[in-house]
Amino acid sequence: MRNPPVEMEPEVIEAEMVLPTYLSFKKVQMHEKYPKGQARGRHWKHLKQIIQAENYQNYPPDEPNYVNIESPPSMNPCKKICDITGFEAPYSDPRTTLRYANTEVFKHIRLIPNESVQRYLALRNAQVVLK
Amino acid sequence: MPFVSQTSLQSDYTLFSSNCPIVIDNGGSNFRIGWAGETDPRIIFRNIVQRPRHKATGETVTIVGDHDPALMKYFDCTRSSPRSAFDSNVVYQFEIMEYILDYGFERMGADGSQVDHPVLITECVCNPVQSRSKMAELLFETYGVPSVAFGVDAAFSYKYNQQLGICDKDGLVVCPGFTTTHVIPFVDGEPVYKACCRTNIGGFHVSDYLKQLLSLKYPHHMSRITWEKVEDLKMEHCYIATDYASEARLFQKGGKEAEDKTRCWQLPWVPPPVEGLPSEEEIARKAAIKERQGQRLREMAEAKRSSRINELENELQGLEFLLQQLGNVEEKDIACFLAETGYVSKQEIESSRAKVMQSLRKAKGEPKGEQAETEEKVDPSAAEKYPLINISDNMLTPEQLKEKKKQLFLKTTSEGRQRAKQKRFEEELERERQNQQDEEKRLENPELYLEQLRAKHRELSEKVEQRKRHKTNGNHTNGNHNLSGGVGRGERLNAAQKERMRLLTTAAFDRGKGEDTFGARDEDWQLYKLMSKDNDEDEEGPDAYEAELARISSRLQDIDPNFVSKSELVPFQPVVEVPSFRPLSKEDFQIVFGVERFRCPEILFHPNLVGVDQVGVDEMAGVSIRRLPSRSQGLNERMTNSILLTGGSCLFPGIRERLEAGIRMIRPCGSPIRVVRASDPVLDAWRGAAVYAASLQFPGQTFSKTDYYEKGEDWLRRYTLRYTL
C-alpha cells in the first residue's frame, strides 16, 4: 500500500522510485524528526571528528581500533610513472615537477596551461595548495 | 553492467515469523537486504540518496538508489546531488541512513507498527563506537527492532567460503572494497583484528583516477565522461597487468599487441552535410534573387529621391511666394512681416532660396558629373576669388591686408586639398596596376607564385615575431614563467630600451650629493617626454611589416588550400586540439584508452601513484602476517596457503596472478602460496551473514534494547561477534 506523496506522472508512480512520506512501521516519521524549514544539514560529525572524539589514546594501544589498524607507508621505493602517458618515467621537469617519459611528452608538458598542470599533479596529490 | 539493482516490492513479509532475522549488508557501494536462511538478498540498490524537486508540483522528494535516467527528467536535480551516508567506510550521516533503511524495509514489504525482526547489519572493521551506537539507536528507537547484531562483511565472506571448502580455517582474507581495502588474518576460524590492516584505496579511487585521466586527455569531451560511464568502462575494460613495467614498455613500443589491447570508444557523431558544388539552377536562382533585391533597393532609392524633389520644390515655391509678397508690401511693414515668417532679412530669404535651388538641381541631375563640373568651375573662380593676392603689400590698406591674408590662407588650403586628392588618385592607379601584374603572374605560373608568396610570408612573420619578442621581453621580465622558453632569450634590450634605462638611472641617482633636486627645473620633466617618445618610435617600425604580413596572409588564405595562418596557432593549446581549418572527422569523436586500462587498477597495488602514502595490497598481506601476535612458523605457512579474495573490486582480471606474484616476493622462498577467489565476491558477504543469522546460536550474539541502555557505551565498544558457532 503505497501512497505517493504528491501527484506524479503515471510512469513515475509506476516505477515506485519516490519514497513515501508516511511509513507504517516507523515509530517516528521523518518529517516529524526533521521538521521542514529547519536547517537540514544537521552538522553530522565527519570521520575525522568522530575519531578525535573517540579518544583512542586513553585505551591500551594494543587493542585494535579504527586508527591503529591503518597500514604503514610502503617500504619499497615509490614507482615513478609518467604523469601524462603512464609509461615508465626516469625524468622529471624542474619547472612543473611533472614526470615524463620522453621528449615528445616533454614538449607537450611545456605547452599545456597551468591549470592542466595542476590537475595532473593533483592526480598524485602533489598540486600546489594555497592555504 | 555487473552490478544490477533489484528493487521490486516484496509481498511475503507477513509470511515470516518474528524470529526470522533480517540480514543487511550495508556496503559503501550497494545496500543489500534480505531474509536469513536464503541464498540471495531480496533487494539490492546503490547506497545513495537524492533529494530533488519535482518539477510539476515543486515538492522536494526523496529518491533512494539509482534509477532510470529517463524518469529523472521529471525532477529538477540541479540543487541535489547523490549523497552517501558514508565517509570512507564509516557511517556518519544518519539522516541519509534513515532514508536508506526506510526504503529497504519498505521494499521488503514491511507493515505493522514496527519492524519486528532481529536485524543483523554489517559494519566496517573496528567501527568507532559513536557510529555504532547511533546506528543501534536508530534501529531501536525509530524502527522498534527487538535485537541487533553487528558483523564485519569480509569475515562473513570468509566463513561462507570456508564452509564451501574454498579456504581453510587459518588464512587471510583480502577484501578490496569501494573506499578501503582490508586484509584480515583468521586463526582458528576467528578473525584477529589486532593484526588486521587497512589501506584507504578502493574501487572509488580507481574510477576517479580513470575519470580524471580521460578528462585531462580529452578536455573537449569532458561532459561525456560522467561518473556512471566511467564506472561502466572500468568494469568492462580494466585489467591488472602481471608486471606493470613490461606492459608499459609494450605500449611504448606501439606494436601490434599494444594495438590489440587498446580500446576505442566512439562517441555519437553526425558528419556535417556535404556541400556539393552548387548546380546550375542553384546559381541561376541565387543570381535571380540578387537581381530582385537590387531592383527593390533601386526602387526604394528612386522613391526617396522623388519625394525629396517634391519637398524641395514645395519649399522653393513657398520662398518665391514670400519674396513676391515682400515686394508687394510697403517699406514700413517689412519688419513685422518678416517677423511673422521667421526670416530676419530679404537677403536671408534669397540665400535660402538659392540653397534650395541648388539641392533641387543636385537631386534631379546626375550627381557625379555635376559635382565634377562644379568643382572645376570653382577652380578657375578661385583665381578670381583671391584677387588681392597678386597685388603687392605696399599698395593695400590695412583692411585690405587682412583680406589678403585670409585669401592667401584659403588658397593654400584649397591647393593642398587638390594635391592630396591627386596623390590618392595616383596611388590607387598604382595599386591597381600592381594587382593586375600579380594576377598575371599568378595565372602564368601558379606554383612558383605560391612558393614566392609563402617564402615572403615566412620571412615577414619571423621578423614580426622577433620584434614582438624584443618588445615583450623588455616589459615582461617579471612575468609568468610559463612563457615558452622566454627566460634568457631576448633579454638583450634593444638600443631604445637601453637609452630609456640610462635616462631613468641617471635621473634618479645622478645628484647623489645628498639632495634630490629632480623636478626643481622644468627641463627635468622633459625626461618623460624623451622616454615615451623612445617607446613610440620603437612601435612604429614593425607596423609596416605587420600590414604587409596581413596582406600576404590574406592572399595565401584565398589561394592556398593548406595554409594555416601562424597567428592562429596560439602556443598554449593542448596538442589534441583540432586545428580549425580541417573539418571535424570521426576520429575526433573517439576516446582511445590503452595504457589507462591497466594503469588505473594499479593503484590498488601502488597507492602512492595517487599520492596515498600506504602499502598496496600485496605488501599488506606481509604487514598483516607480521602483526600477528603468535608467530609460529607453521602458522605463517598456513596463512599464505589460504588467501581469499573477496569484495567488489577484486573482479579485475589478472588480480589473482598479480597478488600471488606479489606475495611470493615477500615470503621466504618455497613457502606454499595459494590465492583463491571467493565463489561470488560481490554477494558472498551477504550470503555468509544470512547463513550465520539462520543458525541457532545467533540470538545469543545479538543485543537488545535493554542491553544497550543498561550496559552503556563501554560495553558496546567491546562488543564483537563470535563467528564460529
Side-chain angles (χ1 to χ4, degrees):
Chain A
M1 258 117 21
R2 294 192 109 231
N3 34 350
V6 293
E7 273 305 308
M8 297 241 170
E9 293 80 357
E11 41 192 11
V12 172
I13 297 183
E14 212 185 289
E16 294 183 337
M17 50 198 280
V18 174
L19 201 65
T21 36
Y22 174 76
L23 294 160
S24 59
F25 50 84
K26 286 186 79 171
K27 290 179 163 179
V28 181
Q29 300 296 324
M30 276 306 255
H31 53 86
E32 293 161 26
K33 210 191 243 192
Y34 303 109
K36 235 186 213 184
Q38 219 183 55
R40 214 104 200 205
R42 312 201 97 223
H43 310 298
W44 297 103
K45 281 193 181 166
H46 286 270
L47 183 63
K48 281 202 189 136
Q49 293 159 320
I50 294 180
I51 292 180
Q52 248 189 347
E54 292 280 303
N55 289 329
Y56 286 128
Q57 60 267 29
N58 298 346
Y59 302 107
D62 53 345
E63 237 180 47
N65 55 50
Y66 194 79
V67 173
N68 59 16
I69 60 172
E70 274 220 25
S71 1
S74 168
M75 288 288 148
N76 299 339
C78 134
K79 189 196 274 281
K80 295 186 170 51
I81 62 166
C82 170
D83 286 310
I84 316 252
T85 54
F87 304 138
E88 200 189 320
Y91 323 107
S92 81
D93 175 19
R95 203 192 280 174
T96 52
T97 67
L98 286 173
R99 298 204 186 113
Y100 60 94
N102 54 35
T103 48
E104 286 175 30
V105 183
F106 182 65
K107 277 191 214 140
H108 183 219
I109 290 183
R110 281 290 161 90
L111 289 179
I112 57 178
N114 194 33
E115 26 162 311
S116 290
V117 167
Q118 292 304 316
R119 283 183 68 190
Y120 273 116
L121 289 174
L123 292 179
R124 269 197 284 135
N125 212 15
Q127 76 276 29
V128 174
V129 175
L130 299 169
K131 283 275 163 81
Chain B
M1 220 188 319
F3 296 155
V4 163
S5 49
Q6 44 189 83
T7 51
S8 44
L9 185 62
Q10 307 293 312
S11 48
D12 51 358
Y13 183 81
T14 41
L15 301 175
F16 288 89
S17 77
S18 294
N19 296 335
C20 187
I22 292 181
V23 175
I24 298 179
D25 177 12
N26 190 17
S29 55
N30 287 327
F31 182 90
R32 298 174 198 102
I33 185 171
W35 295 105
E38 300 194 347
T39 44
D40 278 320
R42 293 293 185 95
I43 307 283
I44 306 176
F45 53 88
R46 288 247 17 206
N47 214 339
I48 49 175
V49 169
Q50 288 179 47
R51 304 199 79 239
R53 261 174 15 110
H54 188 227
K55 278 192 198 158
T57 54
E59 280 275 320
T60 312
V61 296
T62 318
I63 297 186
V64 178
D66 56 344
H67 290 273
D68 188 4
L71 291 175
M72 294 306 283
K73 66 174 191 269
Y74 293 114
F75 299 93
D76 167 29
C77 300
T78 46
R79 292 252 189 97
S80 77
S81 54
R83 293 159 59 196
S84 159
F86 287 86
D87 182 355
S88 188
N89 55 358
V90 173
V91 180
Y92 81 110
Q93 267 254 16
F94 285 92
E95 184 183 341
I96 295 182
M97 196 67 231
E98 199 174 329
Y99 283 129
I100 292 175
L101 283 170
D102 276 354
Y103 190 67
F105 286 133
E106 191 257 333
R107 293 275 97 194
M108 288 282 279
D111 52 10
S113 60
Q114 56 183 27
V115 179
D116 206 9
H117 300 261
V119 166
L120 169 61
I121 188 165
T122 57
E123 58 171 14
C124 65
V125 179
C126 298
N127 200 10
V129 75
Q130 265 204 13
S131 171
R132 211 184 239 185
S133 69
K134 282 219 180 74
M135 180 70 93
E137 205 179 295
L138 183 66
L139 287 169
F140 289 137
E141 297 293 313
T142 317
Y143 296 101
V145 174
S147 57
V148 165
F150 290 111
V152 171
D153 47 358
F156 285 132
S157 181
Y158 192 84
K159 296 304 289 178
Y160 183 69
N161 282 282
Q162 188 187 335
Q163 282 170 9
L164 288 181
I166 296 178
C167 47
D168 311 325
K169 68 178 171 64
D170 295 330
L172 273 179
V173 72
V174 174
C175 177
F178 189 60
T179 42
T180 53
T181 305
H182 291 271
V183 170
I184 310 175
F186 272 74
V187 173
D188 272 337
E190 287 294 314
V192 181
Y193 292 127
K194 228 179 207 188
C196 151
C197 186
R198 178 189 79 237
T199 298
N200 298 324
I201 287 276
F204 169 79
H205 301 97
V206 176
S207 292
D208 192 49
Y209 195 45
L210 182 60
K211 181 165 184 277
Q212 299 287 350
L213 280 176
L214 286 180
S215 304
L216 279 167
K217 197 165 159 187
Y218 296 97
H220 35 273
H221 293 310
M222 237 193 284
S223 59
R224 285 298 201 141
I225 303 176
T226 61
W227 175 262
E228 286 80 22
K229 184 69 197 172
V230 165
E231 288 219 329
D232 278 350
L233 285 174
K234 173 187 86 164
M235 289 194 253
E236 273 189 58
H237 298 288
C238 282
Y239 67 96
I240 292 194
T242 349
D243 179 20
Y244 185 82
S246 52
E247 198 84 7
R249 269 195 290 273
L250 188 71
F251 272 80
Q252 212 168 358
K253 272 200 308 228
K256 186 169 179 308
E257 286 186 31
E259 280 287 317
D260 290 336
K261 292 195 180 176
T262 311
R263 298 287 159 91
C264 172
W265 170 25
Q266 173 77 46
L267 293 171
W269 166 77
V270 175
V274 173
E275 280 184 32
L277 294 162
S279 59
E280 284 285 324
E281 25 185 278
E282 280 279 328
I283 299 177
R285 203 158 46 85
K286 286 214 182 107
I289 292 177
K290 248 192 247 172
E291 182 62 38
R292 243 177 287 141
Q293 280 180 339
Q295 186 72 4
R296 225 181 305 146
L297 281 170
R298 271 196 293 269
E299 281 171 11
M300 281 191 342
E302 194 56 48
K304 233 195 269 179
R305 214 170 62 134
S306 49
S307 71
R308 183 155 161 73
I309 289 177
N310 280 346
E311 262 183 45
L312 287 171
E313 280 184 346
N314 287 345
E315 228 184 289
L316 193 64
Q317 273 186 351
L319 283 170
E320 286 186 343
F321 181 65
L322 255 177
L323 274 173
Q324 259 187 345
Q325 281 205 323
L326 207 61
N328 296 344
V329 162
E330 290 187 9
E331 287 257 343
K332 295 179 263 158
D333 297 331
I334 284 185
C336 55
F337 179 74
L338 284 174
E340 280 178 34
T341 56
Y343 287 102
V344 173
S345 68
K346 189 172 180 215
Q347 281 97 333
E348 221 183 291
I349 303 181
E350 282 191 343
S351 60
S352 54
R353 194 183 75 129
K355 262 190 238 159
V356 169
M357 274 177 66
Q358 211 185 25
S359 16
L360 195 62
R361 219 184 301 140
K362 221 196 281 186
K364 272 200 200 155
E366 300 312 313
K368 279 227 176 111
E370 281 273 315
Q371 271 184 2
E373 280 178 33
T374 45
E375 294 244 15
E376 282 174 26
K377 263 191 249 156
V378 167
D379 278 346
S381 57
E384 301 157 21
K385 274 205 195 148
Y386 313 130
L388 296 176
I389 292 181
N390 299 331
I391 312 175
S392 64
D393 283 346
N394 45 10
M395 296 211 283
L396 296 168
T397 64
E399 285 185 2
Q400 283 182 324
L401 271 171
K402 264 193 265 175
E403 263 302 311
K404 183 179 170 190
K405 271 200 208 131
K406 227 194 326 176
Q407 286 174 1
L408 202 65
F409 175 70
L410 282 170
K411 183 164 176 228
T412 43
T413 43
S414 70
E415 278 184 1
R417 244 180 284 141
Q418 290 283 340
R419 254 178 284 144
K421 230 196 312 172
Q422 194 71 339
K423 219 181 10 173
R424 249 181 291 141
F425 190 60
E426 280 173 8
E427 272 180 13
E428 271 221 32
L429 278 176
E430 182 69 31
R431 226 179 300 152
E432 268 302 312
R433 216 165 27 87
Q434 268 194 357
N435 277 356
Q436 285 234 357
Q437 274 185 355
D438 252 0
E439 272 300 311
E440 283 171 16
K441 252 197 279 178
R442 180 165 89 84
L443 290 168
E444 273 176 13
N445 192 352
E447 282 292 327
L448 188 61
Y449 181 71
L450 213 59
E451 269 308 310
Q452 283 177 346
L453 213 56
R454 271 197 221 128
K456 245 194 282 176
H457 174 87
R458 239 174 300 154
E459 276 178 38
L460 274 176
S461 57
E462 267 187 38
K463 272 203 208 128
V464 168
E465 265 193 50
Q466 247 190 0
R467 279 196 180 253
K468 243 194 257 176
R469 244 180 279 134
H470 276 297
K471 258 203 291 182
T472 56
N473 269 313
N475 300 339
H476 288 175
T477 37
N478 300 336
N480 206 352
H481 284 299
N482 273 343
L483 279 175
S484 53
V487 178
R489 219 206 307 176
E491 275 183 2
R492 282 165 236 125
L493 310 169
N494 62 16
Q497 286 169 332
K498 276 205 203 115
E499 182 64 24
R500 223 169 76 234
M501 290 307 291
R502 196 187 63 81
L503 280 172
L504 276 172
T505 45
T506 50
F509 299 113
D510 195 41
R511 310 149 215 291
K513 296 185 183 98
E515 257 190 50
D516 181 17
T517 56
F518 183 83
R521 302 173 299 165
D522 272 334
E523 297 88 65
D524 294 340
W525 300 107
Q526 305 295 330
L527 188 69
Y528 287 99
K529 267 207 209 143
L530 283 171
M531 288 200 320
S532 67
K533 227 194 273 175
D534 281 337
N535 216 355
D536 284 340
E537 273 175 21
D538 195 26
E539 290 180 13
E540 276 171 23
D543 281 349
Y545 283 125
E546 281 179 358
E548 187 68 19
L549 186 65
R551 203 177 61 81
I552 292 191
S553 0
S554 61
R555 281 293 292 159
L556 274 173
Q557 262 180 36
D558 285 335
I559 43 183
D560 188 355
N562 297 334
F563 179 65
V564 174
S565 151
K566 274 245 181 88
S567 58
E568 305 252 347
L569 290 174
V570 178
F572 300 143
Q573 270 176 0
V575 168
V576 285
E577 172 103 3
V578 176
S580 49
F581 281 81
R582 175 170 68 82
L584 294 176
S585 71
K586 191 164 85 138
E587 279 75 34
D588 296 321
F589 281 84
Q590 286 175 348
I591 293 192
V592 176
F593 55 107
V595 182
E596 291 83 8
R597 281 182 72 196
F598 61 91
R599 180 179 172 185
C600 297
E602 187 68 21
I603 66 175
L604 289 173
F605 290 88
H606 286 102
N608 41 36
L609 288 179
V610 274
V612 173
D613 199 12
Q614 291 183 304
V615 283
V617 158
D618 44 3
E619 284 180 63
M620 272 165 79
V623 166
S624 188
I625 293 179
R626 253 183 295 141
R627 282 184 181 173
L628 274 177
S630 70
R631 306 271 299 272
S632 67
Q633 194 54 27
L635 181 63
N636 292 353
E637 298 210 341
R638 288 202 299 276
M639 289 263 133
T640 52
N641 200 21
S642 132
I643 300 180
L644 183 73
L645 267 177
T646 180
S649 293
C650 81
L651 290 172
F652 289 116
I655 193 172
R656 210 190 62 79
E657 291 78 18
R658 178 66 185 271
L659 192 60
E660 198 172 319
I663 294 182
R664 199 175 293 283
M665 280 204 284
I666 50 180
R667 296 302 304 151
C669 178
S671 43
I673 298 181
R674 190 172 69 99
V675 177
V676 286
R677 200 151 73 152
S679 55
D680 181 352
V682 175
L683 288 179
D684 267 356
W686 188 90
R687 290 195 183 128
V691 164
Y692 185 84
S695 66
L696 298 166
Q697 291 88 352
F698 172 66
Q701 298 294 318
T702 61
F703 60 95
S704 70
K705 188 165 160 178
T706 39
D707 286 335
Y708 172 61
Y709 282 116
E710 281 172 9
K711 297 182 187 167
E713 205 175 85
D714 215 31
W715 172 85
L716 193 63
R717 213 169 54 80
R718 278 193 285 266
Y719 164 87
T720 44
L721 214 60
R722 199 185 138 69
Y723 290 89
T724 18
L725 295 170

